[in-house]
Amino acid sequence: MTEKEKLAMIEDTLEMDEGTLAPKMKLENIDEYNSMAKLSLIVMMEDEFGVKLSSTEIKGFKTVADILDKMN
């Protein structure tokens, strides 16, 4: 899966327009990255990649790249 495809999955999970996100973007600056989005991200990561995220891991995410790194 390419980085672009992964970004599209995150955008879909956060209900954002395609092409909105970039790896260097800080999550704190993304309005859609709220508590509901974090829950959706946890579900998507487990369903699509078999990755179980803890609340500590989610809190540690600072940029979109941090999420992408977990998708490998």
Side-chain angles (χ1 to χ4, degrees), residues 24-65:
K24 293 183 180 183
M25 291 178 75
K26 292 185 178 186
L27 296 171
E28 67 186 27
N29 296 332
I30 300 171
D31 291 338
E32 293 85 355
Y33 192 70
N34 55 34
S35 58
M36 287 302 294
K38 291 174 186 176
L39 290 173
S40 296
L41 185 64
I42 289 170
V43 172
M44 183 272 292
M45 291 290 280
E46 187 166 354
D47 289 350
E48 298 294 328
F49 299 96
V51 175
K52 292 185 179 185
L53 295 175
S54 68
S55 59
T56 304
E57 288 176 301
I58 290 283
K59 289 176 186 175
F61 291 161
K62 301 297 180 207
T63 65
V64 173

Side-chain angles (χ1 to χ4, degrees), residues 11-12 16 19 21 41 45 49-50 67 72:
E11 290 164 344
D12 186 53
M16 299 176 74
L21 293 177
L41 185 64
M45 291 290 280
F49 299 96
I67 299 171
N72 292 325

